[in-house]
Coordinates of all heavy atoms in Angstrom, one line a residue:
V5 N 102.5 119.7 149.8 CA 103.4 119.8 148.7 C 104.9 119.9 149.3 O 105.2 120.7 150.2 CB 103.2 121.2 147.8 CG1 104.3 121.3 146.8 CG2 101.9 121.1 147.2
Q63 N 104.3 113.5 135.2 CA 105.2 114.5 135.6 C 105.1 115.7 134.6 O 104.8 115.6 133.4 CB 106.6 114.0 135.5 CG 106.9 112.9 136.6 CD 108.3 112.2 136.5 OE1 108.8 112.0 135.4 NE2 108.9 111.9 137.6
Y68 N 109.2 129.1 132.7 CA 109.0 130.5 133.1 C 107.7 131.1 132.7 O 107.2 132.0 133.2 CB 110.3 131.4 132.6 CG 110.2 131.7 131.2 CD1 109.8 132.9 130.7 CD2 110.8 130.8 130.2 CE1 109.8 133.2 129.3 CE2 110.8 131.1 128.9 CZ 110.3 132.3 128.4 OH 110.3 132.6 127.1
F83 N 109.9 141.4 144.0 CA 109.5 141.5 145.4 C 109.5 140.0 146.0 O 109.8 139.9 147.3 CB 108.1 142.1 145.6 CG 108.2 143.6 145.2 CD1 107.5 144.0 144.0 CD2 108.8 144.6 146.0 CE1 107.6 145.4 143.7 CE2 108.9 145.9 145.7 CZ 108.3 146.3 144.5
A92 N 109.7 128.9 143.0 CA 109.0 127.7 143.1 C 107.9 127.8 144.2 O 106.8 127.2 143.9 CB 110.0 126.5 143.4
W95 N 105.0 129.8 142.8 CA 104.4 129.0 141.8 C 103.4 128.0 142.4 O 102.2 127.8 142.1 CB 105.3 128.4 140.7 CG 104.6 127.5 139.8 CD1 103.8 127.8 138.7 CD2 104.4 126.1 140.0 NE1 103.3 126.8 138.2 CE2 103.5 125.7 139.0 CE3 104.8 125.1 140.9 CZ2 103.1 124.3 138.8 CZ3 104.3 123.8 140.8 CH2 103.5 123.4 139.8
N119 N 131.1 120.3 150.0 CA 130.0 120.4 149.0 C 129.0 121.6 149.4 O 128.7 121.7 150.5 CB 129.2 119.1 148.9 CG 130.0 118.0 148.2 OD1 131.0 118.2 147.6 ND2 129.5 116.8 148.4
L140 N 117.5 137.6 152.4 CA 116.8 136.4 152.2 C 115.8 136.0 153.3 O 114.8 135.4 153.0 CB 117.9 135.2 152.0 CG 118.9 135.3 150.9 CD1 119.9 134.2 150.9 CD2 118.2 135.3 149.5
G155 N 95.8 130.4 153.4 CA 95.5 129.2 154.1 C 96.5 128.2 154.0 O 96.2 127.0 154.2
E199 N 104.8 148.2 148.2 CA 105.6 147.6 147.1 C 105.1 148.3 145.8 O 105.9 148.7 145.0 CB 105.4 146.2 147.0 CG 106.1 145.4 148.1 CD 105.8 144.0 148.1 OE1 104.8 143.4 147.5 OE2 106.6 143.2 148.8
W212 N 115.9 142.6 136.0 CA 117.2 143.2 135.7 C 117.2 144.1 134.6 O 118.1 144.9 134.3 CB 118.2 142.0 135.5 CG 117.7 141.0 134.5 CD1 118.0 141.1 133.1 CD2 117.0 139.8 134.7 NE1 117.5 140.0 132.5 CE2 116.8 139.2 133.5 CE3 116.5 139.2 135.9 CZ2 116.2 138.0 133.3 CZ3 115.8 138.1 135.7 CH2 115.7 137.5 134.5
K222 N 115.3 151.4 149.1 CA 113.8 151.3 149.3 C 113.3 149.9 149.2 O 112.4 149.5 150.0 CB 113.1 152.1 148.1 CG 113.3 153.7 148.3 CD 112.5 154.4 147.3 CE 112.7 155.9 147.4 NZ 112.0 156.7 146.3
R235 N 108.1 138.3 162.4 CA 108.6 138.2 163.8 C 107.6 138.6 164.8 O 107.5 137.9 165.8 CB 109.9 138.8 164.0 CG 111.1 138.1 163.2 CD 112.4 138.8 163.3 NE 113.5 138.0 162.8 CZ 114.7 138.5 162.5 NH1 115.0 139.8 162.6 NH2 115.6 137.7 161.9

Side-chain angles (χ1 to χ4, degrees):
V5 173
Q63 297 173 320
Y68 74 98
F83 294 108
W95 172 81
N119 290 346
L140 298 176
E199 292 176 343
W212 53 89
K222 290 182 178 178
R235 287 175 171 164

